Coordinates of all heavy atoms in Angstrom, one line a residue:
Y132 N 14.7 1.6 -39.3 CA 14.4 0.2 -39.1 C 14.9 -0.3 -37.8 O 14.2 -1.0 -37.1 CB 15.1 -0.6 -40.3 CG 14.9 -2.1 -40.2 CD1 13.6 -2.7 -40.5 CD2 15.9 -2.9 -39.8 CE1 13.4 -4.0 -40.3 CE2 15.7 -4.3 -39.7 CZ 14.5 -4.8 -40.0 OH 14.3 -6.2 -39.9
R133 N 16.1 0.0 -37.4 CA 16.7 -0.4 -36.1 C 15.9 0.2 -35.0 O 15.7 -0.5 -34.0 CB 18.2 0.0 -36.0 CG 19.0 -0.9 -36.9 CD 20.5 -0.5 -36.6 NE 21.3 -1.3 -37.5 CZ 22.5 -1.0 -37.8 NH1 23.1 0.0 -37.3 NH2 23.2 -1.8 -38.7
A134 N 15.5 1.4 -35.1 CA 14.7 2.0 -34.0 C 13.3 1.3 -33.9 O 12.9 1.1 -32.8 CB 14.4 3.5 -34.3
R135 N 12.7 0.9 -35.0 CA 11.5 0.1 -34.9 C 11.7 -1.2 -34.2 O 10.9 -1.6 -33.4 CB 10.9 0.0 -36.3 CG 9.6 -0.8 -36.3 CD 9.0 -0.7 -37.7 NE 8.0 -1.8 -38.0 CZ 6.9 -2.0 -37.4 NH1 6.5 -1.3 -36.4 NH2 6.1 -3.0 -37.7
L136 N 12.8 -1.9 -34.6 CA 13.1 -3.2 -34.0 C 13.3 -3.0 -32.5 O 12.9 -3.8 -31.7 CB 14.3 -3.8 -34.6 CG 14.1 -4.5 -35.9 CD1 15.4 -5.1 -36.5 CD2 13.1 -5.6 -35.8
R137 N 14.0 -1.9 -32.1 CA 14.3 -1.7 -30.7 C 13.0 -1.4 -29.9 O 12.8 -1.9 -28.8 CB 15.2 -0.5 -30.5 CG 15.4 0.0 -29.1 CD 16.3 -1.0 -28.4 NE 16.6 -0.4 -27.1 CZ 16.4 -1.1 -25.9 NH1 16.1 -2.3 -26.0 NH2 16.6 -0.5 -24.8
R138 N 12.0 -0.7 -30.5 CA 10.7 -0.4 -29.9 C 9.9 -1.7 -29.7 O 9.3 -2.0 -28.7 CB 9.9 0.6 -30.7 CG 10.3 2.0 -30.4 CD 9.3 3.0 -31.0 NE 9.0 2.8 -32.4 CZ 9.7 3.3 -33.4 NH1 10.7 4.1 -33.2 NH2 9.3 3.1 -34.6
L139 N 10.0 -2.6 -30.7 CA 9.3 -3.9 -30.6 C 9.9 -4.7 -29.6 O 9.2 -5.4 -28.8 CB 9.3 -4.6 -32.0 CG 8.4 -4.1 -33.1 CD1 8.7 -4.8 -34.4 CD2 7.0 -4.3 -32.7
E140 N 11.2 -4.8 -29.5 CA 11.9 -5.5 -28.4 C 11.5 -5.0 -27.1 O 11.3 -5.7 -26.1 CB 13.4 -5.5 -28.7 CG 14.2 -6.3 -27.6 CD 15.7 -6.1 -27.9 OE1 16.1 -6.0 -29.0 OE2 16.4 -6.1 -26.9
L141 N 11.5 -3.7 -27.0 CA 11.2 -3.0 -25.7 C 9.8 -3.4 -25.2 O 9.6 -3.7 -24.0 CB 11.3 -1.5 -25.8 CG 11.1 -0.7 -24.6 CD1 12.2 -0.9 -23.6 CD2 11.0 0.8 -25.0
V142 N 8.8 -3.3 -26.0 CA 7.4 -3.6 -25.6 C 7.1 -5.1 -25.4 O 6.2 -5.4 -24.7 CB 6.4 -3.0 -26.5 CG1 6.5 -1.5 -26.6 CG2 6.3 -3.6 -27.9
R143 N 8.0 -5.9 -26.0 CA 7.7 -7.4 -25.8 C 8.4 -8.0 -24.6 O 8.0 -9.0 -24.1 CB 8.2 -8.1 -27.1 CG 7.3 -7.9 -28.2 CD 7.8 -8.7 -29.4 NE 6.9 -8.4 -30.6 CZ 7.2 -8.7 -31.8 NH1 8.4 -9.2 -32.1 NH2 6.3 -8.4 -32.8
S144 N 9.5 -7.3 -24.1 CA 10.3 -7.8 -23.0 C 9.8 -7.2 -21.7 O 10.0 -6.0 -21.6 CB 11.8 -7.6 -23.3 OG 12.5 -7.9 -22.1
P145 N 9.3 -8.0 -20.8 CA 8.9 -7.4 -19.5 C 10.1 -6.7 -18.7 O 9.9 -5.7 -18.1 CB 8.3 -8.6 -18.7 CG 8.9 -9.8 -19.3 CD 9.2 -9.4 -20.8
I146 N 11.2 -7.3 -18.8 CA 12.4 -6.7 -18.1 C 12.7 -5.4 -18.8 O 13.0 -4.4 -18.1 CB 13.6 -7.7 -18.2 CG1 13.2 -8.9 -17.4 CG2 14.8 -7.0 -17.6 CD1 14.2 -10.1 -17.5
L147 N 12.8 -5.3 -20.1 CA 13.1 -4.1 -20.8 C 12.1 -3.0 -20.6 O 12.5 -1.8 -20.3 CB 13.4 -4.3 -22.3 CG 14.6 -5.1 -22.6 CD1 14.7 -5.3 -24.1 CD2 15.9 -4.5 -22.1
F148 N 10.8 -3.3 -20.7 CA 9.8 -2.2 -20.5 C 9.8 -1.7 -19.1 O 9.5 -0.6 -18.8 CB 8.5 -2.5 -21.2 CG 7.6 -3.4 -20.4 CD1 7.0 -3.1 -19.2 CD2 7.2 -4.7 -21.0 CE1 6.1 -4.0 -18.6 CE2 6.4 -5.5 -20.4 CZ 5.8 -5.2 -19.2
Y149 N 10.0 -2.6 -18.1 CA 10.0 -2.2 -16.7 C 11.2 -1.4 -16.4 O 11.1 -0.3 -15.8 CB 9.9 -3.4 -15.8 CG 9.7 -3.0 -14.4 CD1 8.5 -2.6 -13.9 CD2 10.8 -3.1 -13.5 CE1 8.4 -2.2 -12.6 CE2 10.7 -2.7 -12.2 CZ 9.5 -2.2 -11.7 OH 9.3 -1.8 -10.4
Q150 N 12.3 -1.7 -17.0 CA 13.5 -0.9 -16.7 C 13.4 0.4 -17.4 O 13.8 1.4 -16.8 CB 14.8 -1.6 -17.3 CG 15.2 -2.8 -16.5 CD 16.4 -3.5 -17.1 OE1 16.6 -3.5 -18.3 NE2 17.1 -4.3 -16.3
Q151 N 12.8 0.5 -18.5 CA 12.5 1.8 -19.2 C 11.6 2.7 -18.4 O 11.8 3.9 -18.2 CB 11.9 1.6 -20.6 CG 11.7 2.9 -21.3 CD 12.9 3.7 -21.7 OE1 14.0 3.1 -21.8 NE2 12.8 5.0 -21.8
M152 N 10.6 2.0 -17.8 CA 9.7 2.8 -16.9 C 10.4 3.4 -15.7 O 10.3 4.5 -15.3 CB 8.5 1.9 -16.4 CG 7.5 2.6 -15.5 SD 6.4 1.5 -14.7 CE 7.4 0.8 -13.3
L153 N 11.3 2.5 -15.1 CA 12.1 3.0 -14.0 C 13.0 4.2 -14.3 O 13.2 5.1 -13.6 CB 12.9 1.8 -13.4 CG 12.2 0.7 -12.7 CD1 13.1 -0.4 -12.2 CD2 11.3 1.2 -11.6
V154 N 13.6 4.1 -15.5 CA 14.5 5.2 -16.0 C 13.6 6.5 -16.1 O 14.1 7.6 -15.7 CB 15.2 4.8 -17.3 CG1 15.8 6.1 -18.0 CG2 16.2 3.8 -17.1
L155 N 12.5 6.4 -16.7 CA 11.6 7.6 -16.9 C 11.2 8.1 -15.6 O 11.1 9.4 -15.4 CB 10.4 7.2 -17.8 CG 10.7 6.8 -19.2 CD1 9.5 6.3 -20.0 CD2 11.3 8.0 -20.0
L156 N 10.9 7.3 -14.6 CA 10.5 7.8 -13.3 C 11.7 8.4 -12.6 O 11.5 9.4 -11.9 CB 9.9 6.6 -12.5 CG 8.5 6.1 -12.9 CD1 8.1 4.9 -12.2 CD2 7.4 7.2 -12.7
Q157 N 12.8 7.8 -12.7 CA 14.0 8.3 -12.1 C 14.3 9.7 -12.6 O 14.8 10.6 -11.9 CB 15.2 7.4 -12.3 CG 16.4 7.8 -11.6 CD 17.6 6.9 -11.8 OE1 17.7 6.1 -12.8 NE2 18.5 6.8 -10.8
Q158 N 14.1 9.9 -13.9 CA 14.4 11.2 -14.5 C 13.4 12.3 -13.9 O 13.7 13.5 -14.0 CB 14.2 11.2 -16.0 CG 15.2 10.4 -16.7 CD 14.9 10.2 -18.2 OE1 13.8 10.5 -18.7 NE2 15.9 9.7 -18.9
R159 N 12.4 11.9 -13.3 CA 11.4 12.8 -12.6 C 11.5 12.8 -11.1 O 10.7 13.3 -10.4 CB 10.0 12.5 -13.0 CG 9.9 12.8 -14.5 CD 8.8 12.7 -15.2 NE 8.8 13.1 -16.6 CZ 9.6 12.7 -17.6 NH1 10.6 11.9 -17.3 NH2 9.5 13.1 -18.8
G160 N 12.6 12.2 -10.6 CA 12.9 12.2 -9.2 C 12.3 11.1 -8.4 O 12.4 11.1 -7.2
F161 N 11.8 10.1 -9.0 CA 11.2 8.9 -8.4 C 12.1 7.7 -8.6 O 11.9 7.0 -9.5 CB 9.8 8.6 -8.9 CG 8.8 9.7 -8.7 CD1 8.5 10.5 -9.8 CD2 8.3 10.0 -7.5 CE1 7.6 11.6 -9.7 CE2 7.4 11.1 -7.4 CZ 7.1 11.9 -8.5
E162 N 13.0 7.5 -7.6 CA 13.9 6.4 -7.7 C 13.4 5.2 -6.9 O 13.1 5.3 -5.7 CB 15.3 6.8 -7.3 CG 16.3 5.7 -7.6 CD 17.8 6.3 -7.6 OE1 17.9 7.5 -7.5 OE2 18.7 5.5 -7.6
K163 N 13.5 4.0 -7.5 CA 13.0 2.8 -6.8 C 14.1 2.4 -5.8 O 15.3 2.1 -6.2 CB 12.8 1.7 -7.8 CG 12.3 0.4 -7.1 CD 12.2 -0.7 -8.2 CE 12.1 -2.1 -7.5 NZ 13.3 -2.5 -6.8
P164 N 13.8 2.3 -4.5 CA 14.8 1.7 -3.6 C 15.1 0.3 -3.9 O 14.3 -0.5 -4.3 CB 14.0 1.8 -2.2 CG 12.9 2.8 -2.4 CD 12.5 2.7 -3.9
V165 N 16.4 -0.1 -3.7 CA 16.8 -1.4 -4.0 C 16.0 -2.5 -3.3 O 15.7 -3.5 -3.9 CB 18.3 -1.6 -3.7 CG1 18.8 -3.0 -3.9 CG2 19.1 -0.6 -4.5
A166 N 15.7 -2.2 -2.1 CA 15.0 -3.2 -1.2 C 13.5 -3.3 -1.5 O 12.8 -4.3 -1.1 CB 15.2 -2.9 0.2
A167 N 12.9 -2.4 -2.3 CA 11.5 -2.4 -2.6 C 11.2 -3.3 -3.8 O 11.9 -3.4 -4.8 CB 11.0 -1.0 -2.9
T168 N 10.1 -4.1 -3.6 CA 9.6 -4.9 -4.8 C 8.9 -4.0 -5.8 O 8.6 -2.8 -5.4 CB 8.6 -5.9 -4.3 OG1 7.4 -5.3 -3.8 CG2 9.2 -6.8 -3.2
P169 N 8.8 -4.4 -7.0 CA 8.1 -3.6 -8.0 C 6.7 -3.1 -7.5 O 6.3 -2.0 -7.6 CB 8.0 -4.5 -9.2 CG 9.2 -5.3 -9.1 CD 9.3 -5.6 -7.6
S170 N 5.9 -4.1 -6.9 CA 4.6 -3.7 -6.4 C 4.6 -2.7 -5.3 O 3.8 -1.8 -5.2 CB 3.7 -4.9 -6.1 OG 4.3 -5.6 -5.0
E171 N 5.6 -2.8 -4.4 CA 5.7 -1.9 -3.3 C 6.1 -0.5 -3.8 O 5.5 0.5 -3.4 CB 6.9 -2.3 -2.3 CG 6.5 -3.5 -1.5 CD 7.7 -4.1 -0.7 OE1 8.9 -3.9 -1.1 OE2 7.4 -4.8 0.3
F172 N 7.0 -0.5 -4.8 CA 7.4 0.8 -5.4 C 6.2 1.5 -6.0 O 5.9 2.7 -5.8 CB 8.5 0.6 -6.4 CG 9.0 1.8 -7.1 CD1 9.5 2.9 -6.4 CD2 8.9 1.9 -8.5 CE1 9.9 4.0 -7.0 CE2 9.4 3.0 -9.1 CZ 9.9 4.1 -8.4
A173 N 5.4 0.7 -6.8 CA 4.2 1.3 -7.5 C 3.2 1.8 -6.4 O 2.6 2.9 -6.6 CB 3.6 0.3 -8.4
H174 N 3.0 1.0 -5.4 CA 2.0 1.4 -4.4 C 2.5 2.6 -3.7 O 1.7 3.5 -3.4 CB 1.9 0.2 -3.4 CG 0.9 0.6 -2.3 ND1 -0.4 0.6 -2.4 CD2 1.2 0.9 -1.0 CE1 -1.0 0.9 -1.3 NE2 -0.1 1.1 -0.4
N175 N 3.7 2.8 -3.3 CA 4.2 3.9 -2.6 C 4.2 5.2 -3.5 O 4.2 6.3 -2.9 CB 5.7 3.7 -2.1 CG 5.7 2.6 -1.0 OD1 4.7 2.4 -0.3 ND2 6.8 2.0 -0.8
L176 N 4.2 5.0 -4.8 CA 4.2 6.2 -5.7 C 2.8 6.8 -5.9 O 2.6 7.9 -6.3 CB 4.7 5.9 -7.0 CG 6.2 5.7 -7.2 CD1 6.6 5.3 -8.6 CD2 7.0 6.9 -6.7
R177 N 1.8 6.0 -5.6 CA 0.4 6.4 -6.0 C 0.0 7.8 -5.6 O -0.5 8.6 -6.4 CB -0.6 5.5 -5.3 CG -0.6 4.1 -6.0 CD -1.8 3.3 -5.5 NE -1.7 2.1 -6.3 CZ -2.3 1.0 -6.0 NH1 -3.0 0.9 -4.8 NH2 -2.3 -0.1 -6.7
A178 N 0.3 8.3 -4.4 CA -0.1 9.6 -3.9 C 0.8 10.7 -4.6 O 0.4 11.8 -4.6 CB 0.0 9.7 -2.4
S179 N 1.9 10.3 -5.2 CA 2.8 11.3 -5.7 C 2.7 11.6 -7.2 O 3.3 12.5 -7.7 CB 4.3 10.9 -5.4 OG 4.5 10.7 -4.0
L180 N 2.0 10.7 -7.9 CA 1.9 10.7 -9.4 C 0.6 11.3 -9.8 O -0.5 11.1 -9.2 CB 2.1 9.3 -9.9 CG 3.4 8.6 -9.7 CD1 3.3 7.2 -10.2 CD2 4.5 9.4 -10.3
P181 N 0.6 12.0 -11.0 CA -0.7 12.4 -11.6 C -1.4 11.2 -12.1 O -0.8 10.1 -12.2 CB -0.3 13.3 -12.7 CG 1.1 13.0 -13.0 CD 1.7 12.5 -11.7
G182 N -2.7 11.3 -12.3 CA -3.6 10.2 -12.6 C -3.1 9.3 -13.7 O -3.0 8.1 -13.6
F183 N -2.7 9.9 -14.9 CA -2.3 9.1 -16.0 C -1.0 8.3 -15.7 O -0.9 7.2 -16.1 CB -2.0 9.9 -17.2 CG -0.7 10.7 -17.3 CD1 0.4 10.1 -17.8 CD2 -0.6 11.9 -16.7 CE1 1.6 10.7 -17.8 CE2 0.6 12.6 -16.7 CZ 1.7 12.0 -17.2
A184 N -0.1 8.9 -14.9 CA 1.2 8.2 -14.6 C 0.9 7.1 -13.5 O 1.5 6.1 -13.6 CB 2.2 9.2 -14.0
E185 N 0.0 7.4 -12.6 CA -0.3 6.4 -11.6 C -0.9 5.1 -12.3 O -0.5 4.0 -12.0 CB -1.4 6.9 -10.6 CG -1.8 5.9 -9.6 CD -2.9 6.5 -8.7 OE1 -3.2 7.7 -8.7 OE2 -3.5 5.6 -8.0
E186 N -1.8 5.4 -13.2 CA -2.4 4.3 -14.0 C -1.4 3.5 -14.8 O -1.3 2.3 -14.8 CB -3.5 4.8 -14.9 CG -4.1 3.7 -15.8 CD -4.9 4.2 -16.9 OE1 -5.5 5.3 -16.8 OE2 -5.0 3.5 -18.0
A187 N -0.5 4.2 -15.5 CA 0.5 3.6 -16.3 C 1.5 2.8 -15.5 O 1.8 1.6 -15.8 CB 1.3 4.7 -17.1
V188 N 2.0 3.3 -14.3 CA 2.9 2.6 -13.5 C 2.2 1.4 -12.9 O 2.8 0.3 -12.9 CB 3.4 3.5 -12.4 CG1 4.2 2.7 -11.3 CG2 4.3 4.6 -12.9
G189 N 1.0 1.5 -12.5 CA 0.3 0.3 -12.0 C 0.1 -0.8 -13.0 O 0.4 -2.0 -12.7
K190 N -0.3 -0.4 -14.2 CA -0.6 -1.4 -15.2 C 0.7 -2.0 -15.7 O 0.8 -3.2 -16.0 CB -1.4 -0.9 -16.3 CG -1.7 -1.9 -17.4 CD -3.1 -1.8 -18.0 CE -3.2 -2.9 -19.0 NZ -4.5 -2.9 -19.6
L191 N 1.7 -1.2 -15.9 CA 3.0 -1.7 -16.4 C 3.6 -2.7 -15.4 O 4.2 -3.7 -15.7 CB 4.0 -0.6 -16.7 CG 3.7 0.3 -17.9 CD1 4.6 1.5 -18.0 CD2 3.8 -0.5 -19.2
T192 N 3.5 -2.3 -14.1 CA 4.0 -3.2 -13.1 C 3.2 -4.5 -13.1 O 3.8 -5.6 -13.0 CB 3.9 -2.5 -11.7 OG1 4.7 -1.3 -11.7 CG2 4.4 -3.4 -10.6
D193 N 1.9 -4.5 -13.2 CA 1.1 -5.7 -13.3 C 1.5 -6.6 -14.5 O 1.7 -7.8 -14.4 CB -0.4 -5.4 -13.4 CG -1.0 -4.9 -12.1 OD1 -0.3 -5.0 -11.0 OD2 -2.1 -4.3 -12.2
L194 N 1.7 -5.9 -15.6 CA 2.1 -6.7 -16.8 C 3.5 -7.3 -16.7 O 3.8 -8.4 -17.1 CB 2.1 -5.8 -18.1 CG 0.7 -5.5 -18.6 CD1 0.8 -4.4 -19.7 CD2 0.0 -6.7 -19.1
F195 N 4.4 -6.5 -16.0 CA 5.7 -7.0 -15.7 C 5.7 -8.3 -14.9 O 6.3 -9.3 -15.2 CB 6.6 -5.9 -15.0 CG 7.8 -6.4 -14.4 CD1 8.9 -6.8 -15.2 CD2 8.0 -6.6 -13.0 CE1 10.1 -7.3 -14.6 CE2 9.1 -7.1 -12.5 CZ 10.2 -7.4 -13.3
Y196 N 4.9 -8.2 -13.8 CA 4.8 -9.4 -12.9 C 4.2 -10.6 -13.7 O 4.7 -11.7 -13.6 CB 3.9 -9.1 -11.7 CG 4.6 -8.6 -10.5 CD1 4.4 -7.3 -10.1 CD2 5.4 -9.5 -9.8 CE1 5.1 -6.9 -8.9 CE2 6.1 -9.0 -8.7 CZ 5.9 -7.7 -8.2 OH 6.5 -7.3 -7.1
K197 N 3.1 -10.4 -14.5 CA 2.5 -11.5 -15.2 C 3.4 -12.1 -16.2 O 3.5 -13.3 -16.3 CB 1.2 -11.0 -15.9 CG 0.1 -10.7 -15.0 CD -1.1 -10.0 -15.7 CE -1.7 -10.7 -16.8 NZ -2.9 -10.0 -17.4
A198 N 4.1 -11.3 -16.9 CA 5.0 -11.8 -18.0 C 6.3 -12.3 -17.4 O 6.8 -13.4 -17.9 CB 5.4 -10.6 -19.0
R199 N 6.9 -11.7 -16.4 CA 8.2 -12.2 -15.9 C 8.1 -13.4 -15.0 O 8.9 -14.3 -15.1 CB 8.8 -11.0 -15.1 CG 10.1 -11.3 -14.4 CD 11.2 -11.4 -15.4 NE 12.5 -11.6 -14.8 CZ 13.1 -12.8 -14.5 NH1 12.4 -13.9 -14.8 NH2 14.2 -12.9 -13.9
F200 N 7.0 -13.5 -14.2 CA 6.9 -14.5 -13.2 C 5.7 -15.5 -13.5 O 5.7 -16.6 -13.0 CB 6.8 -14.0 -11.8 CG 7.9 -13.1 -11.4 CD1 7.8 -11.7 -11.3 CD2 9.2 -13.6 -11.3 CE1 8.8 -10.9 -10.9 CE2 10.3 -12.8 -10.9 CZ 10.1 -11.5 -10.8
G201 N 4.8 -15.1 -14.3 CA 3.6 -15.9 -14.6 C 3.7 -16.5 -16.0 O 2.7 -17.1 -16.4
H202 N 4.8 -16.4 -16.7 CA 4.9 -16.9 -18.1 C 3.8 -16.5 -19.0 O 3.4 -17.2 -19.9 CB 5.0 -18.4 -18.0 CG 6.1 -18.9 -17.1 ND1 7.4 -18.7 -17.4 CD2 6.0 -19.6 -15.9 CE1 8.2 -19.2 -16.4 NE2 7.3 -19.8 -15.5
Y203 N 3.3 -15.3 -18.7 CA 2.3 -14.7 -19.6 C 2.9 -14.1 -20.8 O 3.9 -13.4 -20.7 CB 1.5 -13.6 -18.8 CG 0.5 -12.8 -19.5 CD1 -0.7 -13.3 -19.8 CD2 0.8 -11.5 -19.9 CE1 -1.7 -12.6 -20.5 CE2 -0.2 -10.7 -20.6 CZ -1.4 -11.3 -20.9 OH -2.4 -10.6 -21.5
V204 N 2.3 -14.3 -22.0 CA 2.8 -13.8 -23.2 C 2.0 -12.5 -23.5 O 0.8 -12.6 -23.6 CB 2.8 -14.8 -24.4 CG1 3.2 -14.1 -25.7 CG2 3.6 -16.0 -24.0
L205 N 2.7 -11.4 -23.6 CA 2.0 -10.2 -23.9 C 1.2 -10.2 -25.2 O 1.8 -10.6 -26.2 CB 2.9 -9.0 -23.9 CG 3.7 -8.6 -22.7 CD1 4.6 -7.5 -22.9 CD2 2.8 -8.3 -21.5
T206 N -0.1 -9.9 -25.1 CA -0.9 -9.8 -26.4 C -0.5 -8.6 -27.2 O 0.2 -7.7 -26.7 CB -2.4 -9.8 -26.0 OG1 -2.6 -8.5 -25.3 CG2 -2.8 -10.9 -25.1
R207 N -1.0 -8.5 -28.3 CA -0.8 -7.3 -29.2 C -1.4 -6.1 -28.5 O -0.8 -5.0 -28.5 CB -1.5 -7.5 -30.6 CG -1.3 -6.3 -31.5 CD 0.1 -6.2 -32.0 NE 0.2 -5.1 -32.8 CZ 1.1 -4.1 -32.7 NH1 2.1 -4.2 -31.9 NH2 1.1 -3.1 -33.5
E208 N -2.5 -6.3 -27.8 CA -3.1 -5.2 -27.1 C -2.2 -4.7 -25.9 O -2.1 -3.5 -25.7 CB -4.5 -5.6 -26.6 CG -5.3 -4.5 -25.8 CD -6.6 -5.0 -25.4 OE1 -7.4 -5.6 -26.2 OE2 -6.9 -4.8 -24.2
D209 N -1.7 -5.7 -25.2 CA -0.7 -5.3 -24.2 C 0.5 -4.6 -24.7 O 0.9 -3.6 -24.1 CB -0.2 -6.6 -23.5 CG -1.3 -7.4 -22.7 OD1 -2.3 -6.7 -22.2 OD2 -1.1 -8.6 -22.6
Q210 N 1.0 -5.0 -25.8 CA 2.2 -4.4 -26.4 C 1.9 -2.9 -26.8 O 2.7 -2.0 -26.6 CB 2.7 -5.2 -27.6 CG 3.3 -6.5 -27.2 CD 3.6 -7.4 -28.4 OE1 3.9 -6.9 -29.5 NE2 3.7 -8.7 -28.2
V211 N 0.7 -2.7 -27.3 CA 0.3 -1.4 -27.7 C 0.1 -0.5 -26.5 O 0.6 0.6 -26.5 CB -1.1 -1.4 -28.5 CG1 -1.7 0.0 -28.7 CG2 -0.8 -2.0 -29.9
Y212 N -0.4 -1.1 -25.4 CA -0.5 -0.3 -24.2 C 0.8 0.0 -23.6 O 1.1 1.2 -23.2 CB -1.3 -1.1 -23.1 CG -1.4 -0.3 -21.8 CD1 -2.4 0.7 -21.7 CD2 -0.5 -0.4 -20.8 CE1 -2.5 1.5 -20.6 CE2 -0.6 0.4 -19.7 CZ -1.5 1.3 -19.6 OH -1.6 2.1 -18.5
V213 N 1.8 -0.9 -23.6 CA 3.1 -0.7 -23.1 C 3.8 0.5 -23.8 O 4.3 1.4 -23.2 CB 4.0 -2.0 -23.1 CG1 5.4 -1.6 -22.9 CG2 3.5 -3.0 -22.1
A214 N 3.7 0.4 -25.2 CA 4.3 1.5 -26.0 C 3.6 2.8 -25.7 O 4.3 3.8 -25.5 CB 4.2 1.1 -27.5
S215 N 2.3 2.8 -25.6 CA 1.6 4.1 -25.3 C 1.9 4.6 -23.9 O 2.2 5.8 -23.7 CB 0.1 3.8 -25.4 OG -0.6 4.9 -25.0
A216 N 1.9 3.8 -22.9 CA 2.2 4.2 -21.5 C 3.6 4.7 -21.4 O 3.9 5.8 -20.8 CB 2.0 3.0 -20.6
L217 N 4.6 4.1 -22.0 CA 6.0 4.5 -22.0 C 6.1 5.9 -22.7 O 6.8 6.8 -22.2 CB 6.9 3.5 -22.6 CG 7.1 2.2 -21.7 CD1 8.0 1.3 -22.5 CD2 7.7 2.5 -20.4
S218 N 5.4 6.0 -23.8 CA 5.4 7.3 -24.5 C 4.8 8.4 -23.7 O 5.4 9.5 -23.6 CB 4.7 7.1 -25.8 OG 4.6 8.3 -26.5
R219 N 3.7 8.2 -23.0 CA 3.1 9.2 -22.1 C 4.0 9.5 -21.0 O 4.1 10.7 -20.6 CB 1.7 8.7 -21.6 CG 0.6 8.8 -22.7 CD -0.7 8.4 -22.1 NE -0.6 6.9 -21.9 CZ -1.3 6.2 -21.0 NH1 -2.1 6.8 -20.2 NH2 -1.2 4.9 -20.9
L220 N 4.7 8.5 -20.4 CA 5.6 8.8 -19.3 C 6.8 9.6 -19.8 O 7.3 10.5 -19.1 CB 6.1 7.5 -18.6 CG 5.0 6.8 -17.8 CD1 5.6 5.4 -17.3 CD2 4.6 7.6 -16.6
Q221 N 7.2 9.4 -21.0 CA 8.4 10.1 -21.6 C 8.0 11.5 -21.9 O 8.8 12.4 -21.7 CB 8.8 9.4 -22.9 CG 10.1 9.9 -23.4 CD 10.7 9.0 -24.5 OE1 9.9 8.3 -25.1 NE2 12.0 9.0 -24.6
R222 N 6.8 11.8 -22.3 CA 6.3 13.2 -22.6 C 5.9 13.9 -21.4 O 5.7 15.1 -21.4 CB 5.2 13.1 -23.6 CG 5.6 12.7 -25.0 CD 4.5 12.9 -26.0 NE 3.1 12.5 -25.5 CZ 2.6 11.3 -25.7 NH1 3.2 10.4 -26.4 NH2 1.4 11.0 -25.2
W223 N 5.8 13.3 -20.2 CA 5.3 13.9 -19.0 C 6.2 15.0 -18.6 O 7.4 14.9 -18.5 CB 5.2 12.8 -17.9 CG 4.9 13.3 -16.5 CD1 4.3 14.4 -16.1 CD2 5.3 12.6 -15.3 NE1 4.2 14.4 -14.8 CE2 4.8 13.3 -14.2 CE3 5.9 11.4 -15.1 CZ2 4.9 12.9 -12.9 CZ3 6.1 11.0 -13.8 CH2 5.6 11.7 -12.7
K224 N 5.6 16.2 -18.4 CA 6.4 17.4 -18.0 C 6.1 17.7 -16.5 O 5.2 17.6 -15.9 CB 6.0 18.5 -18.9 CG 6.2 18.2 -20.3 CD 6.8 19.3 -21.1 CE 6.9 18.8 -22.5 NZ 7.9 19.1 -23.2

C-alpha cells in the first residue's frame, strides 16, 4: 500500500518525478551540471541517449516545466506517461 502511495505521489509531483529522472540518468553517467537549466540539460543529452530515453527525458522535462512553472495539473494520461517513462529509464541497460 505504501509503495503504491509513493508511486502516485511521485508521478503527481513535478519536482519528485524530475528528481527521480535525474537520479536514473546519473546512475548511467549523465549528471546534470548545477548551472544548466532542465531544458539545457535535456537538449545537451539528445545525441548521447538512445531514442526511447531521449523521448522520455524530453517529455518529462516539458511536463516538469508546465507543472512546476505553468501551474499545469498533470492529467491522468500525463501521470501514466510519467510512470511508464520512469519505469523504462529504470530498466534501461
Side-chain angles (χ1 to χ4, degrees):
Y132 177 74
R133 286 184 183 162
R135 179 169 159 65
L136 283 178
R137 174 74 176 128
R138 280 192 307 273
L139 283 173
E140 181 182 325
L141 180 70
V142 300
R143 289 182 180 162
S144 169
I146 295 170
L147 291 179
F148 75 69
Y149 186 76
Q150 286 176 338
Q151 180 65 28
M152 180 191 79
L153 292 178
V154 167
L155 293 171
L156 290 171
Q157 184 179 26
Q158 290 172 349
R159 293 186 177 52
F161 301 102
E162 189 163 351
K163 181 185 165 297
V165 175
T168 66
S170 62
E171 289 171 337
F172 180 58
H174 178 76
N175 292 337
L176 285 180
R177 285 187 177 162
S179 303
L180 298 175
F183 80 91
E185 178 186 349
E186 175 193 335
V188 168
K190 182 144 183 178
L191 288 171
T192 300
D193 288 344
L194 287 171
F195 167 73
Y196 268 112
K197 286 169 61 175
R199 177 71 174 92
F200 303 111
H202 305 293
Y203 176 76
V204 177
L205 295 177
T206 65
R207 178 72 180 132
E208 183 178 309
D209 293 333
Q210 293 173 23
V211 168
Y212 180 83
V213 167
S215 172
L217 290 175
S218 178
R219 282 183 290 154
L220 288 174
Q221 192 168 24
R222 291 189 317 263
W223 173 24
K224 303 223 182 220

